[in-house]
C-alpha cells in the first residue's frame, strides 16, 4: 500500500514536501507516479520516478515547478514544490506504476494529500 | 504529448442499463490504455489495463476494448455502486496523459 502525508495548509510563496510511504512490495522495482487533481477537475499526470536509480520523467507543465525524489532506506517517495501559489491548491496522489502486472497503469494509489494555499 | 479525448463528458443512466464510454488518442498507442473509476472524495481505482485486461477483483460487468487510437469501456448492467467518474489514461509514452473524465450519473 501507499500512505501519504496529511493535509497541508501553506501560504503563497512557501514550500511543500509531500511524502508517500510504500509497503508490501519491493519499493525499488516499481516506478512511483504523482497525479494532481484540482478542486472539481480531472486527473493530471505530474511525473514518475524510479526508486532504483531516481530516473525521473516530468510532464511539461510541471517541469521545473516540482521535484520528485525518493529515500530508498525508508521506502518513501516525495513531491516537492516551491514558491507555492493559490492555483497549486489541489489534491495530490501518489501511485505505483506496474509494467509486469498492469502494463504501466497505476495499480495502487495513495489516499491523497490535500494542499491548500491561502494567505 | 498524446492527447486523450473521452466522450461523453457526462452521462445519465439507470440501474440495469448498458453503458459505453469512448476514449480517443491523438496518435496510436497500441493497447496501452487504462481505465480508472473515481468516486467522490476517494482516490481513483484501476479497472482495466492494457485496453482489455480486467484488474483482479473488478466485476466482470466491466469490459474494455480497442487498439490504436479508439477505445471503449462498457458496463454491461449498471449497478448503484457504478455511479462515479471514469478516466482513461494512455501509458504508451510519457507523459502518460489522462482523458478529461466521464461523469456517470443516476437518471
Amino acid at each position: 500500500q501507499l500512505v501519504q502525508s496529511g493535509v497541508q495548509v501553506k501560504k503563497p510563496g512557501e514550500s511543500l514536501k509531500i511524502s508517500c510511504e510504500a509497503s508490501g512490495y519491493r519499493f525499488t522495482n516499481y516506478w512511483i507516479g504523482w497525479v494532481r487533481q484540482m478542486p472539481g477537475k480531472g486527473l493530471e499526470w505530474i511525473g514518475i520516478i524510479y526508486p532504483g536509480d531516481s530516473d525521473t520523467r516530468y510532464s511539461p507543465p510541471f517541469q521545473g515547478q516540482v521535484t520528485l525524489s525518493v529515500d530508498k532506506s525508508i521506502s518513501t517517495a516525495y513531491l516537492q514544490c516551491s514558491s507555492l501559489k493559490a492555483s497549486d491548491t489541489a489534491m495530490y496522489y501518489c501511485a505505483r506504476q506496474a509494467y509486469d502486472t498492469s502494463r504501466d497503469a497505476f495499480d495502487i494509489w495513495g489516499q491523497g494529500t490535500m494542499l491548500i494555499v491561502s494567505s | 504529448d498524446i492527447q486523450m479525448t473521452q466522450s461523453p463528458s457526462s452521462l445519465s443512466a439507470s440501474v440495469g442499463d448498458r453503458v459505453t464510454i469512448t476514449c480517443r488518442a491523438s496518435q496510436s498507442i497500441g493497447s496501452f490504455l487504462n481505465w480508472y473509476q473515481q468516486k467522490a472524495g476517494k482516490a481513483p481505482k484501476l479497472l482495466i489495463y492494457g485496453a482489455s485486461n480486467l484488474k483482479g477483483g473488478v466485476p466482470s460487468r466491466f469490459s474494455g476494448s480497442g487498439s490504436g487510437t479508439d477505445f471503449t469501456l462498457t458496463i454491461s448492467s449498471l449497478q448503484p455502486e457504478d455511479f462515479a467518474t471514469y478516466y482513461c489514461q494512455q501509458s504508451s509514452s510519457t507523459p502518460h496523459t489522462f482523458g478529461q473524465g466521464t461523469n456517470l450519473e443516476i437518471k
Side-chain angles (χ1 to χ4, degrees), chain A residues 64-76:
Chain A
Q65 308 302 309
V66 303
T67 301
L68 304 184
S69 62
V70 297
D71 184 337
K72 290 188 288 186
S73 69
I74 55 172
S75 299
T76 299

Side-chain angles (χ1 to χ4, degrees), chain A residues 35 37 41-45 48 57 59-60 93 97 99 101-107 109-111, chain B residues 1 31-32 34 36 38 42-46 49-50 55 87 89 91 94-100:
Chain A
V35 175
Q37 187 168 40
K41 302 298 184 182
L43 304 175
E44 299 176 90
W45 193 90
I48 51 175
R57 315 284 166 82
S59 180
Y93 294 101
Q97 178 176 298
Y99 180 80
T101 55
S102 61
R103 302 201 71 188
D104 280 344
F106 287 143
D107 66 341
W109 290 70
Q111 81 277 20
Chain B
D1 298 356
S31 60
F32 284 88
N34 313 305
Y36 300 88
Q38 186 180 32
K42 299 292 187 183
K45 170 186 163 185
L46 177 64
Y49 63 92
K55 187 185 177 193
Y87 295 92
Q89 180 209 24
S91 52
T94 58
H96 291 170
T97 40
F98 290 93
Q100 81 277 18

